[in-house]
Amino acid sequence: RQWVNAKKDITFERVPVIFEEKWDIFAKVYYLTKAFNKENEIGPKLFDAIQKSANPPDSLESLKSFLEKNGIKSSDFESAY
């Protein structure tokens, strides 16, 4: 990302990519974490949980639980999702 920081006229913004319909839940969670300004903190943890866990968070309930363990209250999740 050095080239982004070197150029004043470039704005770098991450966006989720949805290659499969079932991935839309993760895109929504990305924007939810971004709304709470926690995407840089939670994003890598969620990636690891999805890639390395035998039981990854892949449902609303499991994601809500995951996010609650990482600083986003269930009530905030429900109102934002």
Side-chain angles (χ1 to χ4, degrees), residues 11-65:
T11 302
F12 179 79
E13 185 172 343
R14 293 180 186 272
V15 293
V17 177
I18 304 169
F19 290 116
E20 296 182 30
E21 187 175 330
K22 65 182 180 178
W23 290 6
D24 69 333
I25 191 171
F26 300 116
K28 290 177 184 178
V29 167
Y30 170 78
Y31 285 115
L32 186 144
T33 61
K34 189 171 179 172
F36 288 99
N37 200 29
K38 291 188 173 265
E39 74 274 16
N40 291 329
E41 175 188 338
I42 295 176
K45 293 176 186 178
L46 182 57
F47 180 84
D48 283 346
I50 293 167
Q51 296 297 316
K52 297 177 182 176
S53 174
N55 189 20
D58 59 359
S59 68
L60 280 179
E61 285 304 312
S62 63
L63 283 165
K64 182 170 39 170
S65 175

